[in-house]
Amino acid sequence: MVIGVAGGTASGKSTLVKRLHETFAREEVVGLCHDFYYKAHDELTFEERTKLNYDHPESFDTDMMIEDIKRLKSGLPIHHPVYSFVDHNRTKETVLVKPAKVIIIDGVLILENKELRDLMDVKIFVDTAADVRLGRRLLRDVEERGRDMNSVLNQYFSTVKPMHDQFVEPSKKYANLIIPEGGFNSVGLKLLIDNIKTMLQELNSGNE
Ligand code: ADP
Ligand code: C5P
Ligand code: MG
């Protein structure tokens, strides 16, 4: 079973997914982020990489992610790439992920791509107001992603916001479930967890 968690930048997708991983065992639930599949840009300098548009669908190697999801669904392990937001590039490492009953995928643009969308059994959109997201992103990117205030704001106004309006927000219509605020929405989170538990029970009883 594949659960997709989409939503604008800093809406709370990763926080929500983290809560799910804390609830379920590794054999039951595994996660894949679209972010892992940002294209590598070894041909560019660091300076050039800082200027790229990272919010356009073309900035991801979505075909590679689709292949990996299909492999996991067919019961095979994968090695996903690892991305560095500090270096704006793919690292040399990969991470082994073994197949599990539930695969959770998250990313700003995962509902925008039809082939990816069609692999999902449950489509979630984390909906958080733009001003809240900008505030969260500013704090997070300065603390965790090696940015300064000027670079976060310049990037937000030049690419993040226009791409959000063009691609992310319109993809909300494909969601089955909209969760305001993400991982700290305890009622929404509990409903989702209960739902996954029921689906796991159904999958287990189907295998007996
Ligand atoms: P996304 O993966 O959608 O970009 P994150 O889950 O990484 O978003 O959240 C972005 C930032 O906002 C993180 O620093 C996170 O700790 C913080 N955050 C997430 N949800 C909340 C919330 N409900 N209230 C306050 N801060 C939050
Ligand atoms: O976790 P979140 O959904 O915010 O991650 C996606 C965001 O990461 C995108 O909005 C994109 O602008 C940002 N990004 C970045 N630098 C990169 C790659 C992605 O700021 N090198
Ligand atoms: Mg995230």
Side-chain angles (χ1 to χ4, degrees):
M1 190 172 76
V2 180
I3 300 176
V5 181
T9 181
S11 55
K13 303 179 294 296
S14 300
T15 308
L16 178 78
V17 171
K18 196 164 157 240
R19 297 280 172 274
L20 297 178
H21 286 304
E22 285 162 2
T23 307
F24 295 96
R26 222 177 239 210
E27 308 75 57
E28 289 175 323
V29 175
V30 291
L32 274 189
C33 301
H34 205 192
D35 297 351
F36 298 160
Y37 298 85
Y38 268 115
K39 286 177 182 166
H41 284 291
D42 298 330
E43 77 287 6
L44 301 179
T45 63
F46 174 80
E47 213 37 48
E48 288 167 331
R49 292 199 297 274
T50 62
K51 297 191 177 72
L52 295 180
N53 177 348
Y54 291 104
D55 291 82
H56 191 277
E58 281 299 309
S59 55
F60 298 89
D61 189 346
T62 303
D63 287 343
M64 186 181 181
M65 186 182 193
I66 289 170
E67 283 314 306
D68 281 351
I69 296 168
K70 286 182 177 166
R71 258 183 81 90
L72 284 172
K73 280 185 87 158
S74 65
L76 296 167
I78 60 142
H79 287 89
H80 69 71
V82 176
Y83 189 77
S84 164
F85 288 98
V86 175
D87 196 32
H88 299 276
N89 210 358
R90 198 174 280 184
T91 68
K92 302 257 173 294
E93 301 147 56
T94 57
V95 172
L96 169 72
V97 176
K98 292 183 183 157
K101 295 214 168 66
V102 178
I103 305 165
I104 300 175
I105 60 178
D106 84 275
V108 275
L109 286 164
I110 57 168
L111 289 183
E112 187 275 337
N113 182 293
K114 184 173 186 319
E115 206 182 338
L116 194 52
R117 209 163 60 226
D118 288 346
L119 287 172
M120 299 174 203
D121 301 286
V122 180
K123 298 185 264 294
I124 295 168
F125 191 94
V126 178
D127 205 10
T128 304
D131 56 346
V132 176
R133 291 190 294 98
L134 174 57
R136 287 183 186 173
R137 173 147 174 165
L138 191 54
L139 293 174
R140 182 198 62 192
D141 284 10
V142 170
E143 273 172 31
E144 297 170 21
R145 295 187 177 179
R147 313 294 166 89
D148 60 35
M149 193 175 82
N150 274 337
S151 78
V152 177
L153 293 179
N154 284 332
Q155 185 190 5
Y156 186 82
F157 294 121
S158 63
T159 52
V160 180
K161 182 174 165 50
M163 296 297 103
H164 178 92
D165 294 343
Q166 188 176 345
F167 296 109
V168 183
E169 196 63 30
S171 75
K172 186 161 62 176
K173 62 177 175 285
Y174 300 115
N176 313 116
L177 187 64
I178 293 176
I179 301 189
E181 301 283 331
F184 291 91
N185 177 339
S186 53
V187 176
L189 182 65
K190 184 171 183 314
L191 286 170
L192 181 60
I193 288 171
D194 289 348
N195 217 284
I196 297 174
K197 282 182 181 162
T198 307
M199 288 192 269
L200 279 168
Q201 275 164 5
E202 282 169 8
L203 285 171
N204 286 335
S205 59
N207 288 342
E208 278 164 16

